[in-house]
Amino acid sequence: MTEHTDELYQQVILEHNKHPRNFVKLCPCTHEAEGYNPLCGDHLSVYLRITPEGVVNEVSFYGDGCAISKASASMMTAAVKGKTVDEAKLLFEEFRKLVMKETDAAQPQQLLGKLAVFSGIWKYPSRVKCAILAWHTMKGALDKEKSVSTE
Amino acid sequence: MTFDVEKIRKDFPNLSTRGRDEKPLIYFDNAATTFKPCQVISSTHAHYCHRTANIHRGVHYLSEEATAAYESSREKVRSFLNARDNFEIIFTKGATESINLVAHSYGRKFIKSGDEVIISEMEHHSNIVPWQMLREETGCVIKVIPFNDQGELLMDEYRKLLTSRTRLVSIVHVSNSMGTVNPVKEIIALAHAAGAVVLVDAAQGVSHEPIDVQDWDCDFLAFSGHKLYGPTGVGVLYGKQALLETMPPYQGGGDMILSVSFDKTIFNRLPFKFEAGTPNIAGVIALGDAISYVKAVGWEGVSAYKNELLAYGHKLLETVPGLRMIGTAKHKAPIFSFILQDIHPHDIGTLIDREGVAIRTGHHCTQPVMKHFNIPATARASLAFYNTKDELDIFVKALHKIIEVFK
Ligand SMILES: Cc1ncc(COP(=O)(O)O)c(C=O)c1O
């Protein structure tokens, strides 16, 4: 495959696709939401267990999707676990800016860490929705929305 | 006359466009829309350079020229479909609008509560939703002809669905998601025996084989210009005169009336009754040129060549490990819909695009077909007469590479 493809389908993404982290229905949980991408048929649920102090104690996802959406969901759970609700929402905002290319290239996103593997996805507008689906769903769960769609 | 694909390719400028990363483009998304030959592109250009005028309403020279060109397009469509009369050809904006016209006009007048409409499990959403909207309004019943795992309609089941309450059968000629060519003539004969009228969705079929509406004896037929090497935004509804005469207008406006006063409006005769407002004049004329082009290329050579592509493609794809073809009907157009191991079709679509190959991935507006196979989506390569075996070779090589990436 060409260089550019490697940019999107990097080892990290392929690996998370193959062995997704926290890929289970979390029960009981305090927050959950369902995300759907009608274009791809990607369909996943995000579950969170949040402590009374507002810390994401446990987070998981379950569902079907392409490699991009699955890897993104897997990495999302790893990223928000242990964060406060406010931090998780901030992370969502940073990730959204990254994939929409609203970030300032001179200012590397330290908050995002490994999630920077998605920085090239803006070149594939039809795939941005795949990358952001789990994040929108997580945010929806925190905001107590039942169902989230990227359309 | 032998079929010379290299000569034909020269007529389609878009074939020499580069794909992503400057890769030579392989366009395998012809079921979504086809490329246009120079003859069609220059027709549109020439129209706006030399013949811009409204039609049917001017006495000046340009308006008469434009009207003549527009109406000669209607004659080309008539002859292409072998309809009896020009006024049985109605220009619309596409197959979708043509189907909606029938559902709205014929459906609301003649289909009542408890009456039955038969469609099939392999319909495009545009031949499902208008009937559901009609059901919402009238309380009619929708029945669905199932298909087998090869993607062939179960004709025995169809026979059982036909009753004295069946008013209309609306059926796809060639499936856009599986490539199946349905036995349209037989379906029509059975429907007529039960007293029902038939609408054929020929959106895919119109570029696949010659259509003779008199031989088929279909009552309505719908297609889009943009899948027949013509422009977007123009399509056709063919209807038998006797039926069209009894149907109320679909939209009101200019051109579809003879006289208007605030007390009474007299509707125009066919086909103008169904062509309210200024139509896509340049588009209709260019569609006529697309049809002239297809006729000049000739069906005989095209059919043999497309069958060659189909057989070659199937043979090649059999060599790809873990590839499952969705749609293996005996009668097929060169549409290859498939799933590959557990690799999501969208990942295939993006990765193969990097190799310059344009395919479609998703449910192809046929979600019931996806449900039949219990899959969310397929990858689909759909070929036109300007595609080649060399392109199929590159495509299949790229699939092998994708398997490596996901190993
Ligand atoms: C079988 C079939 N029917 C109907 C349509 C609708 O055509 P259009 O969108 O041009 O109206 C399509 C287009 O994909 C099709 O493949």
Side-chain angles (χ1 to χ4, degrees), chain B residues 31-32 94-97 99 124 126 172 174 176 201 203-204 224 226-227:
Chain B
T96 301
E97 189 180 35
I99 297 168
H124 187 276
S126 62
V172 69
V174 174
N176 66 308
D201 171 4
Q204 297 295 335
S224 296
H226 71 98
K227 295 181 201 277

Side-chain angles (χ1 to χ4, degrees), chain B residues 67-329:
Chain B
T67 304
Y70 183 90
E71 289 305 322
S72 87
S73 231
R74 203 187 303 275
E75 166 54 25
K76 285 180 188 171
V77 176
R78 183 210 62 75
S79 140
F80 189 61
L81 300 178
N82 192 33
R84 254 177 223 93
D85 287 298
N86 280 353
F87 50 73
E88 295 180 316
I89 306 300
I90 293 155
F91 289 115
T92 64
K93 72 180 164 74
T96 301
E97 189 180 35
S98 300
I99 297 168
N100 275 279
L101 193 163
V102 176
H104 197 89
S105 170
Y106 185 88
R108 289 210 285 188
K109 180 152 180 194
F110 294 107
I111 298 173
K112 308 274 179 250
S113 175
D115 284 347
E116 296 162 2
V117 172
I118 297 181
I119 58 175
S120 86
E121 195 185 0
M122 64 173 87
E123 298 309 317
H124 187 276
H125 294 166
S126 62
N127 198 22
I128 301 175
V129 183
W131 307 113
Q132 291 173 329
M133 289 163 69
L134 183 70
R135 177 174 65 189
E136 201 58 29
E137 227 173 286
T138 64
C140 69
V141 176
I142 297 174
K143 293 174 154 184
V144 181
I145 314 168
F147 60 76
N148 63 21
D149 289 346
Q150 285 73 54
E152 296 163 326
L153 287 178
L154 298 175
M155 293 298 283
D156 285 339
E157 296 301 315
Y158 169 52
R159 282 187 190 88
K160 283 186 226 156
L161 293 180
L162 287 162
T163 72
S164 60
R165 294 302 303 264
T166 309
R167 292 289 169 267
L168 185 138
V169 176
S170 193
I171 192 81
V172 69
H173 171 203
V174 174
S175 154
N176 66 308
S177 52
M178 297 186 292
T180 312
V181 180
N182 286 316
V184 174
K185 205 173 159 179
E186 189 186 347
I187 291 170
I188 294 167
L190 288 165
H192 285 171
V197 301
V198 181
L199 164 60
V200 176
D201 171 4
Q204 297 295 335
V206 71
S207 66
H208 181 68
E209 60 184 10
I211 289 174
D212 183 332
V213 291
Q214 292 189 64
D215 177 51
W216 283 4
D217 198 23
C218 59
D219 302 283
F220 300 104
L221 181 128
F223 72 88
S224 296
H226 71 98
K227 295 181 201 277
L228 185 67
Y229 316 102
T232 53
V234 59
V236 167
L237 173 70
Y238 156 81
K240 279 183 185 163
Q241 180 191 359
L243 290 172
L244 292 174
E245 297 281 11
T246 61
M247 288 159 55
Y250 166 57
Q251 290 175 332
D255 251 9
M256 53 77 69
I257 44 82
L258 279 183
S259 76
V260 174
S261 74
F262 287 112
D263 297 327
K264 186 171 172 57
T265 289
I266 301 171
F267 297 133
N268 205 339
R269 61 189 164 85
L270 288 177
F272 310 112
K273 181 168 87 173
F274 293 107
E275 291 180 5
T278 301
N280 182 353
I281 300 166
V284 164
I285 295 169
L287 172 59
D289 290 305
I291 286 174
S292 299
Y293 182 82
V294 171
K295 280 195 156 176
V297 171
W299 279 117
E300 218 169 289
V302 167
S303 297
Y305 182 68
K306 279 175 109 177
N307 280 334
E308 240 178 81
L309 287 177
L310 174 67
Y312 188 75
H314 268 293
K315 211 175 89 209
L316 274 187
L317 287 166
E318 272 171 23
T319 66
V320 180
L323 184 142
R324 179 178 164 211
M325 190 68 67
I326 301 297
T328 49

Side-chain angles (χ1 to χ4, degrees), chain A:
Chain A
M1 290 283 137
T2 62
E3 235 172 80
H4 287 274
T5 320
D6 292 339
E7 213 174 272
L8 182 57
Y9 288 86
Q10 293 181 40
Q11 273 314 314
V12 193
I13 290 181
L14 293 169
E15 204 275 326
H16 272 271
N17 173 51
K18 219 172 196 173
H19 307 289
R21 319 290 193 271
N22 307 305
F23 190 60
V24 63
K25 291 180 187 171
L26 189 64
C27 184
C29 67
T30 56
H31 294 67
E32 69 170 284
E34 215 180 318
Y36 181 51
N37 177 352
L39 180 73
C40 300
D42 291 344
H43 199 167
L44 56 84
S45 293
V46 169
Y47 309 86
L48 299 123
R49 200 178 291 150
I50 295 173
T51 65
E53 297 74 38
V55 175
V56 180
N57 207 353
E58 286 292 343
V59 49
S60 74
F61 81 104
Y62 200 77
D64 290 320
C66 61
I68 303 296
S69 76
K70 222 166 166 183
S72 174
S74 169
M75 293 174 75
M76 181 278 291
T77 61
V80 303
K81 195 166 173 172
K83 299 272 191 309
T84 67
V85 168
D86 286 344
E87 285 169 338
K89 285 184 178 173
L90 186 65
L91 215 47
F92 162 81
E93 195 45 38
E94 292 297 317
F95 187 79
R96 193 192 60 77
K97 281 189 195 157
L98 176 84
V99 296
M100 305 295 282
K101 207 176 184 267
E102 287 173 19
T103 42
D104 182 354
Q107 280 242 316
Q109 294 305 304
Q110 283 158 4
L111 266 185
L112 292 175
K114 274 193 217 160
L115 296 170
V117 292
F118 290 99
S119 63
I121 202 158
W122 60 271
K123 282 182 234 158
Y124 307 79
S126 57
R127 305 306 299 279
V128 167
K129 284 175 182 169
C130 308
I132 208 164
L133 177 63
W135 287 88
H136 268 298
T137 312
M138 181 273 292
K139 170 95 174 358
L142 292 179
D143 294 342
K144 286 275 187 198
E145 281 170 33
K146 260 254 152 68
S147 170
V148 175
S149 166
T150 54
E151 280 300 284

